[in-house]
Amino acid sequence: MMRRIAVLDAPTNLGLRPPTATSVPGCGKAPGALRDHGLLARLGARDAGCLTAPRYDPGDWRPGDGVCHAREISGYSTVLADRIGAIIDRGEFPLVLGGDCSVLLGSALAMHRLGEAVGGRIGLVFVDGHSDFRHPGNASYVGAAAGEDLALVTGRGQADLAAIEGRRPYFRDIDVVVLGIRAQDEYRLDLQAAGITTRPVPALRAEGAARSAQWAHEQLADCAGYWVHIDVDVLDPAVMPAVDAPDPGGIAFAELEILLAGLVDTPHCLGVELTVFDPDYDPDGAYAAEIVNTVVAGLAPVVAPDAVAPRLLSPRAAHPDPVPAQPDLTGRTGLAGGTGLAGEPNPAWESGRAGQLGRAEEQDRAGGTGLAGQLGRVEGQDRAGELGGRAEGAGRAEEPVA
């Protein structure tokens, strides 16, 4: 049965510092820019509406005051979690269009609620160019939630963000897989010490995007399901500089497409969020068009006619001993009636569908060839010439409000 996608706009910019003293971050415009390129129609998606964010106003915030906009982000995250939960209750696949990375707090809250409802843990696949792991334990001060979202959703930081509704952490460290951070990420050793599994860009490219997606899924085998966070700054700024903190050493659009397709091509992927694209750095819409092309192709497995209905695994599914059948997940969780059995094989990973993971052998060995030679889409359309060389003006840093 085909899984229907529901697109929800979350145009918040509350988690970023202002680019200048008199301006605000432009990533709140991202959902509209992506919709303008026909995203919903091309996905055949239901329009789940827009959750308007509170007004961006740092006021007199100063270092030492905690996370800027914390009260507004907390309230927004609670309502966003409600909206995501309602989409999942309908048996649909949520695609959340951010906004900055603080969107993850709402998604994480929704996943923790869901895990509690079904008696299992929900995991997180965190695809991001930065670890976003700054917290009071490793930094002199915090301030911008978009640079601290992974720390917050794993329980590090102030309670009004890290423990909404008394839930802390939303994701356990062992239930998080980080993909796409740069090799010299500032907090890579902190992630290692926490036991958070990572695959930086060099390893991701060496293994290939398709195999990395399968590897990520395997790391979360003990989880009932997982959520996917994608910050588009995982892409190299040579191909996509329209973000607040472009950082060299990223992946290409073709790799992101293959990675996304592999991550969603299983009934245990519960949804995806897309963050940090800033249309202010995309005056002619070229980057928005490329992002839409990538997302549509990457989500193709979700809407394929032979896609498997969403299903949550038993938390003991990875164990060899017999496990009773999964209870009916109607009501609060609403995941297509909980059609799967605990411990049942995952047909999405065994089906070998064309366009799933099999493209890796031919198309996924970009490492070592140089970005210029492999920036094109999987269909072979090399867009490096038209999309490269626009990194100017993209020098903002995802750091605390100054």
Side-chain angles (χ1 to χ4, degrees):
M1 108 180 221
M2 184 173 66
R3 299 174 70 182
R4 187 182 191 186
I5 295 173
V7 177
L8 171 63
D9 293 2
T12 178
N13 56 7
L14 297 173
L16 291 171
R17 71 179 181 94
T20 70
T22 57
S23 63
V24 300
C27 63
K29 305 170 187 176
L34 299 177
R35 283 174 176 253
D36 284 348
H37 286 270
L39 177 61
L40 272 72
R42 294 177 62 185
L43 290 172
R46 180 177 72 87
D47 188 343
C50 175
L51 181 59
T52 304
R55 187 170 70 93
Y56 185 93
D57 182 9
D60 58 356
W61 181 92
R62 294 292 182 271
D65 292 347
V67 176
C68 188
H69 293 120
R71 180 176 61 83
E72 292 82 1
I73 292 172
S74 178
Y76 188 78
S77 298
T78 301
V79 181
L80 179 57
D82 294 342
R83 298 284 288 271
I84 293 171
I87 292 171
I88 293 176
D89 283 349
R90 293 169 59 110
E92 296 175 324
F93 184 96
L95 171 60
V96 179
L97 303 178
D100 67 59
C101 287
S102 66
V103 166
L104 179 58
L105 274 71
S107 307
L109 179 59
M111 294 302 105
H112 194 278
R113 291 174 179 174
L114 179 59
E116 181 180 73
V118 302
R121 307 192 318 269
I122 309 298
L124 170 67
V125 179
F126 187 84
V127 182
D128 201 306
H130 307 92
S131 62
D132 295 352
F133 204 60
R134 182 175 58 238
H135 58 82
N138 63 14
S140 58
Y141 65 88
V142 296
E148 297 146 17
D149 52 296
L150 184 57
L152 289 166
V153 300
T154 54
R156 297 165 173 87
Q158 58 199 64
D160 55 349
L161 294 176
I164 300 171
E165 300 178 351
R167 303 173 185 274
R168 186 174 194 155
Y170 311 125
F171 299 109
R172 300 199 322 175
D173 292 345
I174 61 172
D175 297 332
V176 176
V177 176
V178 175
L179 299 172
I181 60 171
R182 306 312 192 241
Q184 299 303 313
D185 186 271
E186 182 178 3
Y187 300 111
R188 66 192 184 283
L189 297 181
D190 292 333
L191 294 175
Q192 180 179 343
I196 294 176
T197 303
T198 65
R199 181 165 282 187
V201 169
L204 190 159
R205 306 189 87 189
E207 291 298 322
R211 292 185 184 86
S212 293
Q214 185 167 6
W215 171 82
H217 182 266
E218 292 166 353
Q219 301 309 303
L220 301 177
D222 288 335
C223 292
Y226 61 81
W227 182 262
V228 176
H229 162 88
I230 296 179
D231 182 334
V232 296
D233 70 15
V234 72
L235 294 161
D236 194 278
V239 296
M240 223 300 290
V243 296
D244 68 288
D247 195 3
I251 64 175
F253 275 108
E255 292 170 299
L256 180 57
E257 176 186 318
I258 295 169
L259 183 64
L260 177 58
L263 291 172
V264 304
D265 201 356
T266 165
H268 311 309
C269 180
L270 301 173
V272 172
E273 66 190 20
L274 195 71
T275 66
V276 173
F277 169 55
D278 190 336
D280 284 351
Y281 297 133
D282 185 26
D284 62 2
Y287 302 133
E290 191 69 14
I291 292 170
V292 168
N293 288 340
T294 300
V295 171
V296 170
L299 292 182
V302 177
V303 296
D306 58 344
V308 180
R311 181 172 69 245
L312 292 180
L313 287 174
S314 161
R316 299 181 62 202
H319 292 212
D321 51 314
V323 180
Q326 178 92 348
D328 187 357
L329 298 179
T330 54
R332 169 64 187 91
T333 56
L335 292 177
T339 56
L341 297 179
E344 181 180 349
N346 183 347
W349 287 98
E350 297 176 357
S351 62
R353 290 203 295 266
Q356 183 191 1
L357 300 181
R359 294 184 291 179
E361 294 293 333
E362 295 77 20
Q363 300 172 354
D364 198 36
R365 293 292 181 180
T369 63
L371 275 174
Q374 49 82 33
L375 296 180
R377 301 190 46 74
V378 172
E379 293 81 4
Q381 299 171 346
D382 186 355
R383 299 172 184 265
E386 63 178 293
L387 295 181
R390 299 185 58 189
E392 67 275 6
R396 289 185 284 167
E398 191 173 71
E399 297 173 349
V401 180

